[in-house]
Amino acid sequence: MIRLFNENRYERDAVSTPPNEGEIVSSLASVANRLPRISNEVQASGADLEARGVHAWFGSRHVLADVNLSFPAGRVTALIGPSGCGKSTFLRTLNRMHEFVPSAAMAGEVLLDGVDIYKQGTDVTKIRLKIGMVFQKPNPFPSMTIGENVLSGLKLAQIKRSNKEDLMEECLTRAGLWNEVKDRLNSHGGSLSGGQQQRLCIARALAVAPEVLLMDEPCSSLDPGSTLRIEETIRQLSQSVIVVIVTHNMQQAARVSDYTGFFLTEGGPGRLIEYAPTREIFSRPKDERTEAYVTGRFG
Amino acid sequence: MAQILPLQIPVPTPKKPWKPAPIAMIPDLLILVGAFLVADATVALTGFKGKLAIFFLFALYSTLGSMALAFFRRGATAMSNAMATSMAYLSIALVALPLFSVLLTVVSRGRHALRLNTFTQDMAATQPDAPFSQGGALHAILGTTVLVILATVISVPIGVLTGLYLTEVKGRAETLIRFLVQAMSGVPSIVAGLFIYAVWITGGHGGFSGFSGAVALSILMLPTVARTAEEVLKLIPNDLREAGVALGGTQWRTVVMVVLPAARSGLITATVLGVARVAGETAPLLLTIFGTTAKHFNPFVGPMSALPLYIFQLLETGLNVAISRAWTGALVLLILVSVLFTLARFVGGRVKS
């Protein structure tokens, strides 16, 4: 039995022997079962995000078909699936980043607190203020110091706020970075390691107090230590923020999420194959394709 | 094997809900029309006079109007956005208007003398004041084509290699070279011509010839190509160079196989900018190719003509007919340059796709 969780539970990246699939299923299930279920019970802020019948296209290529998902308050949702299945595209439809691609088109509704964010006349900047995003590659603004990076959202959105120092400390603390950077807030973001940069990006996203935080494979280029910190941050955030995380790392999905959605494309557009509480996805998936994926038989 | 087919749901039509609906654009349109009318009225009723006044008043009113509209729609923060957008549009109008005006003037004045024989005959046996049905600009078209091609052949390899020195080799003289290239781009074009005249022609290395002119043009073209190439090569991510070297390639092989192809479209831009810099130059040619009225193919021996020089020499005569021919020369030069640029884009873009 491989040890996914031990006392030093994030050492799992060091596990190198390929386990057989039966072991993975059972170990993932046990991981999911042992997780503290904090966020299901906590009914935090009233925000709530829902995707209804979302389709997405790039040019004439239909990449995402009919996704219906709701993200209630205080819940971490993981989106898993092989590359090219449309999960990142779906994530980007949730805060209107999809339209940045000139050939992009979509159909369906995304409701934030019951209001379609794609409704005509919606102020898209306000939507993105409420629905923050952390990208796959850490992207601190190179021309700003660490401190300025954290507060950059306020400046970009022209939000006036007193006691900025407190906010800076709070956000950096929540992102698990405060102790490492408190003595060099005036140095540039580029001087940080990759993991620190990503936590800086999370702190930056938190500073504008979003209701939803979308994370697109935030740990894909990070070391286990940084991954651990970011996962802890996600668990903490889930009490006040809706978190949606796209990840290729199934153990990560098992560790941080309450619900998991599995996306897959079978030639055509990507679809949501199964959506269930995370422990069910990993212990008794209903769809055989989900089972094949979580046991590592393909994808 | 029983596979459950997913329930077939009709696929909705793709939409772009982020594009404002036409009906939502009506207020924006009304503001533009209103701004124009009010600007017109201001000019009619106050001391302001002329088309320029209308334009600037329209700019002011439409900016204020769109800011007000943005304020009503989205509040104070959207106002500055509306202002910047409006300014950007007005700026391109300010840039495009004179350009179109020049283009229109060249076309409208140049078309009178434009005949088929413009492209098939030279001026060797024709007086400048002969009717338009006689003579043409063929010698000048040939000359410009030969000169531009020669200048490109000389300066693009040197320019790109200079760019490579600055970005890939990063030798000791990097700062000095960059400084020199920058200083070179400030050289007045007639000085380039004088330089070749003094060093090459009076130095006894060669007479007036197309080649002398091409070298003079290369002096002007080189800094543009080198600086642009450097900027473009700087944008190529270092990962690519590392990947090439890590596969066992030498620096040169990596540059040829990885870096230059990645910078391809940018390097074509560098070439196009360089050609644009020299295609219309007259001054350096006066002292190097001298000018002639007959077709002349050999760029290494004897005077040649070129379109800018053709225009200049016709204008000097002061005759109305000759001036019309000169406008036609300008039109032909515009056409020729457009054809060259289109060709460059076509040749450059073809391999990529």
Side-chain angles (χ1 to χ4, degrees):
Chain A
M1 175 84 186
I2 57 159
R3 294 179 308 166
L4 280 164
F5 274 18
N6 52 21
E7 290 78 33
N8 192 358
R9 50 185 208 163
Y10 290 92
E11 287 293 346
R12 47 91 200 152
D13 280 10
V15 176
S16 56
T17 45
N20 68 51
E21 58 196 48
E23 280 179 343
I24 292 193
V25 180
S26 54
S27 59
L28 282 172
S30 66
V31 165
N33 284 329
R34 267 190 278 161
L35 277 175
R37 315 305 310 173
I38 41 171
S39 34
N40 264 353
E41 285 74 40
V42 181
Q43 281 305 313
S45 65
D48 135 282
L49 184 69
E50 188 182 351
R52 279 192 195 160
V54 169
H55 293 251
W57 288 263
F58 290 116
S60 59
R61 202 159 56 89
H62 195 186
V63 293
L64 190 69
D66 196 39
V67 178
N68 293 281
L69 262 181
S70 100
F71 308 96
R75 182 186 284 179
V76 179
T77 306
L79 307 179
I80 61 170
S83 295
C85 65
K87 54 194 190 308
S88 287
T89 304
F90 174 64
L91 198 73
R92 288 169 67 88
T93 60
L94 294 179
N95 70 340
R96 296 193 52 174
M97 296 293 282
H98 179 56
E99 66 206 56
F100 254 63
V101 182
S103 66
M106 63 93 65
E109 292 178 319
V110 176
L111 306 175
L112 178 66
D113 299 329
V115 181
D116 186 7
I117 65 171
Y118 284 95
K119 204 176 70 178
Q120 274 287 328
T122 306
D123 187 352
V124 64
T125 56
K126 299 225 163 59
I127 294 299
R128 298 200 185 112
L129 198 59
K130 287 183 188 164
I131 309 179
M133 190 162 208
V134 176
F135 298 82
Q136 181 172 3
K137 214 175 139 209
N139 51 3
F141 298 129
S143 62
M144 300 182 192
T145 66
I146 294 171
E148 286 168 349
N149 257 292
V150 176
L151 299 176
S152 58
L154 298 180
K155 261 195 170 168
L156 282 166
Q158 292 169 285
I159 299 169
K160 299 237 172 6
R161 202 193 140 118
S162 53
N163 55 9
K164 287 186 175 159
E165 307 296 313
D166 296 347
L167 177 72
M168 199 191 292
E169 179 174 348
E170 186 204 321
C171 294
L172 285 168
T173 309
R174 285 172 79 189
L177 191 61
W178 175 248
N179 285 328
E180 290 158 63
V181 300
K182 62 184 173 195
D183 299 322
R184 49 172 176 152
L185 291 171
N186 289 322
S187 53
H188 277 257
S191 62
L192 299 172
S193 74
Q196 288 172 327
Q197 286 187 13
Q198 192 64 305
R199 278 177 279 147
L200 177 59
C201 292
I202 293 174
R204 180 175 71 184
L206 293 177
V208 293
E211 295 170 10
V212 182
L213 193 60
L214 308 176
M215 304 177 111
D216 191 357
E217 300 178 45
C219 303
S220 66
S221 60
L222 304 187
D223 64 294
S226 299
T227 305
L228 159 70
R229 290 225 179 66
I230 287 175
E231 287 177 6
E232 281 171 352
T233 306
I234 294 170
R235 300 275 355 149
Q236 278 168 16
L237 289 177
S238 66
Q239 296 174 34
S240 53
V241 180
I242 302 171
V243 179
V244 185
I245 176 171
V246 164
T247 177
H248 276 131
N249 181 332
M250 278 182 275
Q251 285 94 344
Q252 181 171 63
R255 283 193 299 263
V256 300
S257 68
D258 305 302
Y259 277 72
T260 296
F262 172 61
F263 284 74
L264 184 67
T265 166
E266 289 163 317
R271 290 172 191 278
L272 178 65
I273 301 295
E274 187 168 352
Y275 174 73
T278 298
R279 73 180 90 184
E280 280 178 31
I281 288 276
F282 287 111
S283 55
R284 28 178 203 287
K286 292 194 177 64
D287 193 290
E288 60 189 41
R289 291 166 293 183
T290 313
E291 191 186 354
Y293 183 73
V294 299
T295 54
R297 266 188 280 140
F298 80 92
Chain B
M1 179 173 153
Q3 177 126 27
I4 304 153
L5 286 166
L7 191 65
Q8 284 302 314
I9 301 155
V11 175
T13 45
K15 279 177 293 217
K16 292 178 180 282
W18 44 89
K19 293 252 159 78
I23 197 153
M25 299 292 282
I26 289 175
D28 304 71
L29 207 69
L30 285 180
I31 287 215
L32 288 184
V33 175
F36 183 71
L37 291 179
V38 178
D40 238 14
T42 317
V43 169
L45 300 176
T46 64
F48 291 107
K49 285 281 168 288
K51 283 180 186 148
L52 210 60
I54 294 186
F55 177 80
F56 280 105
L57 286 169
F58 168 72
L60 181 71
Y61 295 146
S62 60
T63 305
L64 290 177
S66 56
M67 281 170 73
L69 189 65
F71 181 76
F72 279 119
R73 276 178 181 161
R74 271 155 216 181
T77 52
M79 248 166 55
S80 56
N81 196 42
M83 188 175 78
T85 310
S86 177
M87 302 280 257
Y89 274 112
L90 292 166
S91 300
I92 75 142
L94 221 51
V95 170
L97 277 178
L99 267 178
F100 277 115
S101 168
V102 168
L103 207 67
L104 223 68
T105 313
V106 170
V107 171
S108 71
R109 299 213 184 177
R111 76 194 150 87
H112 300 305
L114 192 66
R115 302 275 188 286
L116 192 65
N117 50 301
T118 308
F119 301 96
T120 56
Q121 294 181 17
D122 60 23
M123 298 292 284
T126 317
Q127 289 303 308
D129 59 350
F132 297 143
S133 56
Q134 295 169 29
L138 179 63
H139 57 302
I141 296 171
L142 278 175
T144 288
T145 313
V146 168
L147 279 173
V148 164
I149 290 174
L150 261 182
T152 307
V153 166
I154 297 171
S155 57
V156 166
I158 302 179
V160 171
L161 284 168
T162 309
L164 286 175
Y165 178 82
L166 294 174
T167 56
E168 311 294 318
V169 182
K170 295 189 206 298
R172 243 164 226 270
E174 190 189 335
T175 326
L176 178 71
I177 298 290
R178 192 173 287 120
F179 174 77
L180 285 179
V181 168
Q182 230 149 12
M184 222 172 129
S185 62
V187 169
S189 57
I190 194 150
V191 172
L194 271 172
F195 172 71
I196 296 300
Y197 181 73
V199 172
W200 184 263
I201 296 173
T202 62
H205 301 285
F208 292 116
S209 70
F211 183 72
S212 307
V215 176
L217 292 184
S218 302
I219 294 175
L220 299 172
M221 199 170 162
L222 193 57
T224 310
V225 176
R227 282 293 298 181
T228 317
E230 187 207 346
E231 292 301 326
V232 167
L233 289 168
K234 264 201 274 184
L235 291 178
I236 304 301
N238 229 8
D239 307 9
L240 287 181
R241 298 186 178 95
E242 290 179 2
V245 175
L247 284 167
T250 59
Q251 190 178 14
W252 170 242
R253 290 295 296 160
T254 307
V255 163
V256 170
M257 282 186 61
V258 180
V259 179
L260 288 181
R264 182 190 188 87
S265 81
L267 293 174
I268 290 166
T269 306
T271 311
V272 165
L273 284 177
V275 169
R277 171 82 180 79
V278 299
E281 278 295 346
T282 320
L285 300 182
L286 274 174
L287 300 158
T288 50
I289 68 171
F290 195 71
T292 168
T293 52
K295 288 190 287 283
H296 184 75
F297 291 98
N298 188 348
F300 296 98
V301 185
M304 281 185 92
S305 188
L307 279 164
L309 206 57
Y310 170 80
I311 295 166
F312 177 74
Q313 285 166 347
L314 282 170
L315 285 179
E316 266 187 331
T317 64
L319 300 164
N320 277 335
V321 184
I323 290 172
S324 269
R325 283 186 193 275
W327 279 107
T328 307
L331 179 59
V332 171
L333 181 60
L334 274 179
I335 295 170
L336 188 67
V337 168
S338 314
V339 168
L340 281 178
F341 289 172
T342 315
L343 217 64
R345 286 286 157 214
F346 178 74
V347 171
R350 202 182 44 187
V351 182
K352 209 174 184 180
S353 58

